[in-house]
Amino acid sequence: VTSTRTDGDSTNDIAVANMSLGGGAAPNDNCGRTVNDPEHIAICNSTAAGVTYVVAAGNSSADEQTFSPASFGEVLTVTAVSDSDGLPGGVGGGLSCIGNGDDQPASYSNFATRAVDVAHTIAAPGSCIRSTAPGGGYATMSGTSMASPHVTGLVALCEGENGAHGPCWGQTPAVVKSIMLAAAGSAAAAAPSNVFNGAPSKAIAGRYYGDMASTAFPSSASAVPANAVGPVISGTVAVGSTLTTTNGTWTGAATIAYTYSWLRCTTAAVASCADVAGATARTYSPVSADLGKYLRVRVVGTNGQGSGMMRSVATGVVAGPVVVAPVNTVYPAISGSAASGSVLTATTGTWTGTSPSYAYSWLRCTTTAVASCAAVGGATGSTYTLGAGDVGRYLRVAVTASNARGSAVMRSTATAVVSGSGGAVVVAPVNTVGPAITGTSRVGSTLSSSTGTWTGTSPSYAYQWLRCTTLAVASCVNIAGATSSGYTLTSSDRGRYLRVSVTASNARGSAAMRSTVVGAIS
């Protein structure tokens, strides 16, 4: 086989060789030269010449590391899967010739346990395979010797067909292996529900049979998304909290798109995990079914060359709900008439946090400022009846929200001033629309000012006109004697700007509001 690659005839070059054979052997490295293993030395020499070797894993239901040539790192080692219908999903029923279930590792197949062996192991159908037999005719047989030729045929297709070169053409056996493993891993990552039990993402008690071989060859193994740093879950691992995953770090060609699947695990082992239905976002909030379990997330990266998959490490055990301290988001509010004998009612306002309880304390205030308020003795309900002692005062309510994580207090805004029973209340003026100046901005013309719009009880109004050197309020000074609603512009106003300040007053107080500026005066 090797000589076809080294003689002068390029038309007889063998690119891939199948070895449906094997035997027990102690693990060895250095291409077998350290222990003088002629088989390993020959395979290494042939691989160096450009031949890709595909070999059977063995049929002893044992660790392939003690079998030859299955344990050689230079070969592509093939385990066997029992498949009754040629379709994924495990719904094809048992295989009559061997009694294995559909889409399960073959009961006889060897497997990998070491990372170094997982790195060159792939799976293919090997049970109840009907094919040509020595001496003519057909026969049905089972074994990794039936699985290995399937993968050998795939390598041949990857080299090329119908006169066209494939992605494996001209590549070294090491690259060919990478392309085949990338195709298998990409197919598994793209359709995780189709993966058979025993594949790397669904290892069975530490046994790894490799992903199912696939024809989805990438143009290059390095172009397929490959995870370099696994995804990481952050957040409090408790019912009701929110967990968030990173994508991890990936290599691969072009833009990589990511999808997510959250997994619920009965132990920290991958084999105990199952997908959480519908949990396919980057975040996940544990529910009561997760209590006492572990969580992982599976991230699949996909580009035009294929897909790759990586799971996060398991979280700790999911704890019971987290109690979150209360935080106010909407103030408490008071309803009812601010008059002696009336009943005021308080809301709690709106709070975040875990099921807080509420307590009330009514406050009597001499002004609208919080600093003027004092608690009303015994007034601790959600309602309060105003009495004679409240007349002329303002009322607030303080609501305290509490739970096991702590407490917080929020006060309402103040009521209007409390009137006597049936009496009128004088309300201080408050401007809602500023005063406005009308007229022509020219010396000799008369400007007029409106009062603007005010709330409050029957305010009276006073005016003061201001002369300004710029548009800024800080540049303005009072014009002596200009205290009526109208003002006639003089030569002193030329090049200046004018404002008017309107003061509204009643028995409860006064407030001033300036107009916008007019000018410059011409």
Side-chain angles (χ1 to χ4, degrees):
V1 170
T2 305
S3 67
T4 68
R5 308 287 301 195
T6 58
D7 62 20
D9 183 1
S10 61
T11 64
N12 71 347
D13 287 1
I14 294 175
V16 57
N18 180 71
M19 297 185 75
S20 288
L21 53 87
N28 63 77
D29 54 15
N30 192 29
C31 280
R33 294 182 178 89
T34 302
V35 295
N36 197 28
D37 180 343
E39 180 186 40
H40 199 173
I41 292 169
I43 288 176
C44 283
N45 289 340
S46 196
T47 299
V51 182
T52 298
Y53 278 81
V54 183
V55 307
N59 304 327
S60 300
S61 188
D63 192 331
E64 69 187 44
Q65 68 173 295
T66 59
F67 289 79
S68 168
S71 62
F72 299 167
E74 297 76 21
V75 305
L76 194 56
T77 300
V78 186
T79 64
V81 174
S82 294
D83 178 17
S84 64
D85 60 0
L87 298 172
V91 296
L95 283 78
S96 58
C97 82
I98 194 170
N100 286 178
D102 183 37
D103 296 323
Q104 298 292 327
S107 56
Y108 51 80
S109 179
N110 286 354
F111 48 82
T113 60
R114 304 180 305 170
V116 68
D117 293 320
V118 173
H120 66 92
T121 297
I122 196 168
S127 297
C128 306
I129 304 301
R130 179 172 172 79
S131 185
T132 53
Y138 291 82
T140 298
M141 299 181 69
S142 299
T144 57
S145 287
M146 279 71 249
S148 181
H150 283 87
V151 177
T152 306
L154 285 176
V155 174
L157 286 174
C158 186
E159 290 284 349
E161 60 176 323
N162 297 327
H165 294 165
C168 291
W169 179 264
Q171 302 291 347
T172 65
V175 172
V176 171
K177 282 170 47 187
S178 295
I179 291 173
M180 300 305 296
L181 292 166
S186 178
S193 61
N194 292 344
V195 174
F196 71 94
N197 289 330
S201 60
K202 294 183 179 180
I204 300 175
R207 298 182 177 189
Y208 295 85
Y209 293 84
D211 283 312
M212 185 71 77
S214 170
T215 58
F217 308 129
S219 60
S220 138
S222 63
V224 177
N227 183 266
V229 178
V232 176
I233 296 173
S234 61
T236 303
V237 187
V239 173
S241 296
T242 298
L243 302 178
T244 303
T245 183
T246 64
N247 292 327
T249 304
W250 296 73
T251 60
T255 300
I256 299 175
Y258 300 98
T259 57
Y260 312 91
S261 298
W262 290 83
L263 312 173
R264 181 182 296 129
C265 314
T266 55
T267 71
V270 172
S272 73
C273 300
D275 286 13
V276 178
T280 56
R282 191 167 184 171
T283 60
Y284 175 67
S285 294
V287 298
S288 57
D290 299 311
L291 188 63
K293 307 294 195 299
Y294 302 81
L295 295 172
R296 293 179 184 263
V297 67
R298 180 175 60 239
V299 178
V300 175
T302 302
N303 63 14
Q305 295 296 318
S307 300
M309 180 276 292
M310 182 55 67
R311 290 178 301 271
S312 70
V313 297
T315 64
V317 174
V318 177
V322 174
V323 177
V324 179
V327 175
N328 182 265
T329 57
V330 178
Y331 293 166
I334 298 173
S335 60
S337 175
S340 180
S342 295
V343 177
L344 302 181
T345 302
T347 66
T348 60
T350 304
W351 299 76
T352 60
T354 307
S355 304
S357 60
Y358 302 100
Y360 304 85
S361 177
W362 290 85
L363 311 173
R364 184 182 294 125
C365 315
T366 57
T367 71
T368 56
V370 171
S372 73
C373 300
V376 179
T380 56
S382 61
T383 62
Y384 174 69
T385 302
L386 293 165
D390 300 311
V391 175
R393 301 292 191 266
Y394 304 84
L395 270 289
R396 293 178 184 266
V397 68
V399 176
T400 301
S402 303
N403 62 21
R405 290 291 297 175
S407 61
V409 179
M410 184 55 66
R411 290 178 293 270
S412 70
T413 56
T415 64
V417 65
V418 178
S419 68
S421 180
V425 175
V426 177
V427 179
V430 176
N431 183 266
T432 57
V433 178
I437 297 172
T438 57
T440 303
S441 301
R442 181 181 299 116
V443 171
S445 297
T446 298
L447 302 180
S448 297
S449 173
S450 69
T451 61
T453 304
W454 299 77
T455 60
T457 306
S458 303
S460 60
Y461 301 101
Y463 302 86
Q464 176 61 62
W465 290 83
L466 310 170
R467 182 181 293 123
C468 314
T469 57
T470 71
L471 295 173
V473 171
S475 74
C476 301
V477 295
N478 292 347
I479 302 173
T483 57
S484 66
S485 61
Y487 173 70
T488 301
L489 294 164
T490 70
S491 59
S492 297
D493 299 313
R494 184 174 281 114
R496 301 291 191 268
Y497 302 86
L498 271 289
R499 292 181 186 268
V500 67
S501 175
V502 176
T503 301
S505 303
N506 62 20
R508 288 296 299 171
S510 63
M513 180 58 65
R514 288 181 298 271
S515 71
T516 56
V517 70
V518 296
I521 307 302
S522 60

